[in-house]
Amino acid sequence: MKLKHIFLGLLLGFVLVTKAQTSSKEVLFTINDKPFYTDEFIRVYNKNLDLVKDESQKDLNQYLELFVGYKLKVSKANILGLQNNTQYQTELKSYRTQLSKNYTTDSKVTKELVDEGYKRLLKEVNASHILILVDENAAPADTLIAYNKALGIRDRVIKGEDFGALAQELSQDPSAKENKGNLGYFTSFKMVYAFENGAYNTSIGSVSKPIRTRFGYHLIKVNDIRDNRGEVAVAHIMILKPKEGEDIAKAKTTIDDIYQKLQQGEKFEELAKQFSEDKSSASKGGVLNRFASGQLSSEEFETQAFSLSKENLISKPFETQFGWHIVKFIDRFPVKSYDDSKVELENKISKDDRSRLITNSLTEKLAAKYPIKKDVKLYNSLVKLVTNDFYDNKWTLPTDSKKYSKALFAIAAKNYTGSDFLDYVYSKQKSGSTLKPIEKLTDNLFETFVDEQRNQYYNDNLENEFPEFSAVMDEYRDGLLLFDLMDKEIWQRSKTDTLGLKDFYETQKDKHLWKTRVDAEIYSSTDLEKMKKALSMLKKNQTSKEIKEKFNTKENVSIMYFQGVYEEGADALPKETKMELGLSEITKKGDYYYVINVIKVLPAAPKTLDECRGKLVNDYQQYLEQNWVNELNKEFTVKVNQDTFEKVKNQIKK
């Protein structure tokens, strides 16, 4: 699912900031006589203009080709019936529900939620939970069973049983087996809203009553509350934890040697570039993106990072589940002010469960937008039909329902009949309402019924009310189909068609080449005299172990040693390194002196399929897609209205 979200995010990026156009709607091209119009082409082109990196895609002729190809794929998806897939329809409905929240805002409610969110943002809560799963659309009986189960567990905690032990035993959150239900520290907007409310409204040491979220019922125990630590920026040097069967002691010795060199005054950034095995940060001197509590996968790493400061600059070596680290403090970023946080918080609220509160406030505005006038005579006759049997869930609909099928009221041009209202009353018997007398209950149900129908009518007509909403839904509908089709026709095939990939590799070998490589030993030191002595020892065929024993002690690491296979131009090699067998002379790079002992030279050669698999699979996907699009062009008849296209060009260039 994550891949699909990324794909659609790229496809629909910045959807709501499209440039306004005044163009008339004309047919730009047809696919099998189905028309596609200029307004959509212009809107999508302008929307994506700043997103594309390939300048050729900004060329209108090239972009029209891409756009037609896009519509060809969507047309194929519709022919294959992918739009009838249940999962597709569910996702489309879910997206529409999410998008509609942008049109159901209330500034007052939004401000209250921003105020609440910021106040909570100033604190971090450490909480544990026990989860009892129940689907948010589960039957009431199933919901009650889950609730009572959670309540029973809470009683056991109140009576003195250990929360963590019960979490390991009974929680249906799989991670509880390892963490005893402890979620670490978090702040506002890190959890679903209902869970957040439960956590922030529970005192330290207490256990909440069962809290309902879309996942089920949670019991929340608050372990601690502290001031928000903000964000921290650090760099690190990492030695990966050896795989099973490899030498753990060697990795631990390496990190300790690096730490000793830091104590001797050598630069953190240079050591990170040489020795850190976190390849994503090593070339940047070990610098990581700044982070807040709970953002990393290692609480131990976060604890070490936040314990550092300008006065306590570098940590001692420590171990996480990933390996051994040394962390260097760079900077600390406190929580932003309210004013600086406001826009970001509003954006988060729009994507959060809190938005439901804003949607609820819409009801009042819709009452003014869609006033109703009910048929009083018909309504009075309906009220008389509803009896006290309702309270016992025994009330039945009248047998002559046609008598009440005329319009009771209308919202805009849509009529709602007396029978519609009676059906609604009948459906509400299980709600457990005890409001009396029955006439008052019926009036209350009528008001609720009207409110619900107003909201539903408004929601159903968003496409008519807001053209930009309609455009976004069309794009998402097509994008979702395109993803499913691409997955079926291209991505899955590129992963499973091993013979096809192998044949493609044979035609692409000259594009995937290793430069000359060397299997080499690298010796480095900031002490030129000791490096000269080490070189002398190497010339006498003495080993790396003998060199380290001579120059390194527990208190002082003078010479570092690494062995590996390096490609010409690799960062780990000095620029002067000759790709030839034997010992180099001493060279200098920054503050370090190097001696390179080349054990073996590996000449330039094609990479094996496995060595270039990632890039090769990507190229293979593009190859399959291009061939597929060519086939689609043969399958469908595409006719472009060139005169109209010339008008579009002139309009866009203005």
Side-chain angles (χ1 to χ4, degrees):
M1 285 305 299
K2 186 175 182 182
L3 176 61
K4 183 177 289 189
H5 293 156
I6 292 171
F7 174 80
L8 293 170
L10 292 171
L11 185 68
L12 305 173
F14 305 109
V15 164
L16 298 179
V17 293
T18 56
K19 298 179 182 178
Q21 295 290 334
T22 58
S23 62
S24 58
K25 183 175 180 178
E26 297 184 66
V27 175
L28 179 60
F29 62 89
T30 60
I31 297 178
N32 285 4
D33 295 327
K34 179 181 177 180
F36 295 89
Y37 297 95
T38 54
D39 58 337
E40 181 185 7
F41 176 81
I42 293 172
R43 185 186 67 252
V44 174
Y45 176 82
N46 281 322
K47 181 193 73 177
N48 291 315
L49 191 60
D50 295 330
L51 301 180
V52 295
K53 295 180 180 179
D54 186 347
E55 288 297 320
S56 67
Q57 293 181 15
K58 295 183 180 181
D59 176 80
L60 282 164
N61 292 301
Q62 176 71 15
Y63 199 83
L64 178 62
E65 184 179 334
L66 291 171
F67 191 71
V68 170
Y70 168 69
K71 291 299 184 182
L72 279 171
K73 295 169 189 173
V74 173
S75 298
K76 181 66 174 181
N78 281 301
I79 287 177
L80 293 174
L82 298 185
Q83 72 277 16
N84 299 320
N85 183 280
T86 301
Q87 183 178 345
Y88 165 81
Q89 293 176 344
T90 300
E91 288 193 50
L92 187 62
K93 182 179 179 181
S94 175
Y95 179 78
R96 190 186 187 282
T97 299
Q98 184 66 30
L99 183 63
S100 67
K101 294 177 182 179
N102 294 316
Y103 299 84
T104 56
T105 58
D106 183 295
S107 58
K108 181 181 177 182
V109 176
T110 300
K111 184 181 184 307
E112 290 172 353
L113 291 171
V114 169
D115 291 347
E116 177 191 71
Y118 185 75
K119 182 179 179 181
R120 291 178 176 178
L121 193 65
L122 298 176
K123 298 291 181 181
E124 293 178 346
V125 175
N126 183 292
S128 301
H129 83 136
I130 295 172
L131 170 64
I132 303 301
L133 292 171
V134 61
D135 189 89
E136 59 182 330
N137 297 315
D142 294 332
T143 301
L144 183 61
I145 290 172
Y147 176 82
N148 286 333
K149 185 174 181 180
L151 206 58
I153 297 171
R154 183 176 186 271
D155 288 341
R156 291 173 64 177
V157 175
I158 300 300
K159 290 175 182 177
E161 291 193 52
D162 181 70
F163 190 95
L166 288 172
Q168 278 187 311
E169 178 187 353
L170 301 171
S171 179
Q172 292 172 323
D173 176 353
S175 67
K177 302 297 181 186
E178 300 294 331
N179 61 21
K180 296 185 178 181
N182 192 295
L183 301 170
Y185 283 94
F186 57 88
T187 187
S188 57
F189 299 98
K190 298 300 184 183
M191 302 292 180
V192 293
Y193 187 49
F195 189 96
E196 179 190 308
N197 280 335
Y200 275 90
N201 291 324
T202 300
S203 58
I204 296 176
S206 299
V207 177
S208 71
K209 291 182 178 180
I211 302 294
R212 182 71 186 270
T213 72
R214 63 176 178 267
F215 305 107
Y217 282 104
H218 307 256
L219 297 176
I220 304 172
K221 181 183 178 184
V222 174
N223 306 311
D224 187 30
I225 300 175
R226 69 186 182 196
D227 291 338
N228 192 326
R229 300 187 295 185
E231 294 181 324
V232 67
V234 299
H236 81 141
I237 297 171
M238 177 184 183
I239 300 300
L240 290 170
K241 184 164 289 188
K243 297 177 182 178
E244 187 175 350
E246 294 181 350
D247 188 355
I248 295 177
K250 181 181 178 182
K252 182 65 169 63
T253 299
T254 300
I255 199 73
D256 288 339
D257 286 349
I258 294 170
Y259 182 69
Q260 184 62 46
K261 292 178 79 63
L262 287 168
Q263 297 301 102
Q264 294 165 201
E266 297 189 26
K267 292 182 179 179
F268 189 99
E269 294 74 14
E270 292 299 325
L271 290 169
K273 289 177 181 179
Q274 286 187 65
F275 303 114
S276 181
E277 294 179 347
D278 176 6
K279 300 304 180 185
S280 63
S281 67
S283 61
K284 298 178 289 186
V287 175
L288 301 172
N289 293 329
R290 72 193 212 188
F291 55 86
S293 296
Q295 284 189 249
L296 301 187
S297 301
S298 171
E299 186 173 346
E300 173 65 15
F301 191 97
E302 287 185 359
T303 299
Q304 291 284 346
F306 277 101
S307 71
L308 300 175
S309 63
K310 291 181 180 178
E311 293 73 31
N312 179 28
L313 199 62
I314 296 177
S315 75
K316 293 181 179 179
F318 64 93
E319 184 180 1
T320 70
Q321 66 267 42
F322 305 109
W324 284 268
H325 312 259
I326 301 171
V327 177
K328 178 185 177 182
F329 175 81
I330 296 175
D331 203 354
R332 191 179 296 277
F333 304 89
V335 178
K336 296 177 184 177
S337 68
Y338 178 90
D339 288 339
D340 289 340
S341 302
K342 186 178 178 182
V343 173
E344 181 181 353
L345 292 176
E346 287 176 347
N347 184 50
K348 287 182 177 179
I349 286 169
S350 71
K351 301 174 182 177
D352 187 77
D353 291 344
R354 292 165 172 80
S355 59
R356 295 180 183 178
L357 300 177
I358 302 171
T359 302
N360 292 341
S361 72
L362 180 68
T363 299
E364 192 174 314
K365 293 182 178 180
L366 293 182
K369 182 177 177 66
Y370 303 120
I372 69 154
K373 184 177 180 181
K374 69 183 177 184
D375 183 326
V376 177
K377 184 177 179 181
L378 175 58
Y379 179 73
N380 289 337
S381 66
L382 297 173
V383 171
K384 292 177 182 178
L385 293 172
V386 185
T387 68
N388 287 328
D389 286 342
F390 179 94
Y391 299 112
D392 299 320
N393 197 20
K394 295 180 179 179
W395 180 73
T396 58
L397 291 167
T399 55
D400 55 343
S401 58
K402 289 185 178 180
K403 181 178 178 181
Y404 308 101
S405 61
K406 64 185 241 180
L408 177 60
F409 63 91
I411 297 175
K414 183 174 181 179
N415 289 328
Y416 299 83
T417 68
S419 297
D420 292 334
F421 176 57
L422 289 176
D423 290 339
Y424 180 79
V425 173
Y426 182 78
S427 72
K428 292 297 178 181
Q429 285 189 94
K430 295 181 181 180
S431 65
S433 178
T434 57
L435 183 64
K436 294 184 178 181
I438 192 65
E439 292 81 10
K440 187 173 183 179
L441 172 63
T442 306
D443 287 341
N444 183 269
L445 287 173
F446 178 74
E447 290 176 7
T448 305
F449 176 66
V450 172
D451 286 342
E452 289 183 8
Q453 299 313 312
R454 281 196 186 105
N455 276 276
Q456 189 62 53
Y457 180 86
Y458 174 75
N459 197 302
D460 290 345
N461 284 275
L462 286 174
E463 282 85 352
N464 297 325
E465 290 270 350
F466 305 101
E468 72 275 14
F469 180 88
S470 178
V472 173
M473 281 304 302
D474 285 344
E475 289 181 22
Y476 191 86
R477 184 180 293 107
D478 288 352
L480 200 58
L481 278 177
L482 181 57
F483 179 92
D484 290 344
L485 184 63
M486 293 288 286
D487 189 50
K488 178 177 182 294
E489 297 288 341
I490 304 297
W491 300 328
Q492 289 301 324
R493 181 180 169 188
S494 68
K495 293 176 184 176
T496 58
D497 183 11
T498 54
L499 291 177
L501 182 64
K502 185 177 180 181
D503 290 341
F504 182 72
Y505 163 74
E506 293 297 331
T507 69
Q508 303 291 306
K509 279 185 178 181
D510 59 337
K511 297 180 182 178
H512 302 278
L513 301 174
W514 285 116
K515 298 177 184 177
T516 301
R517 291 169 293 160
V518 290
D519 183 352
E521 298 176 324
I522 300 178
Y523 297 85
S524 65
S525 177
T526 57
D527 189 323
L528 177 58
E529 292 305 315
K530 289 182 179 177
M531 184 56 77
K532 288 179 179 178
K533 293 177 181 178
L535 177 58
S536 177
M537 293 175 67
L538 285 168
K539 288 180 177 179
K540 296 175 182 177
N541 294 321
Q542 290 183 269
T543 65
S544 59
K545 182 179 179 181
E546 291 172 317
I547 291 172
K548 290 177 71 175
E549 287 176 350
K550 180 174 179 60
F551 295 107
N552 297 344
T553 66
K554 289 183 178 180
E555 295 75 27
N556 190 0
V557 177
S558 295
I559 292 181
M560 288 295 292
Y561 162 81
F562 240 73
Q563 181 179 350
V565 176
Y566 304 93
E567 191 175 21
E568 186 176 356
D571 288 340
L573 295 175
K575 289 183 179 179
E576 297 82 2
T577 301
K578 296 179 179 179
M579 310 300 279
E580 56 188 41
L581 291 173
L583 278 169
S584 73
E585 293 302 317
I586 296 173
T587 58
K588 188 177 183 183
K589 180 181 177 183
D591 295 334
Y592 289 85
Y593 297 96
Y594 291 87
V595 169
I596 312 298
N597 183 24
V598 176
I599 302 168
K600 185 178 181 181
V601 176
L602 305 173
K607 295 180 180 179
T608 66
L609 192 153
D610 284 337
E611 287 172 337
C612 64
R613 182 176 293 274
K615 179 67 168 59
L616 188 72
V617 168
N618 182 65
D619 291 347
Y620 188 45
Q621 288 176 350
Q622 293 182 29
Y623 167 78
L624 291 174
E625 183 176 355
Q626 186 56 57
N627 286 346
W628 179 49
V629 170
N630 291 339
E631 291 300 316
L632 291 178
N633 275 296
K634 296 175 184 177
E635 180 179 345
F636 293 90
T637 301
V638 179
K639 295 180 180 179
V640 177
N641 188 331
Q642 290 295 337
D643 291 341
T644 301
F645 186 44
E646 290 303 318
K647 293 180 186 178
V648 168
K649 287 182 180 180
N650 292 331
Q651 180 180 343
I652 290 177
K653 290 176 181 178
K654 287 181 180 179

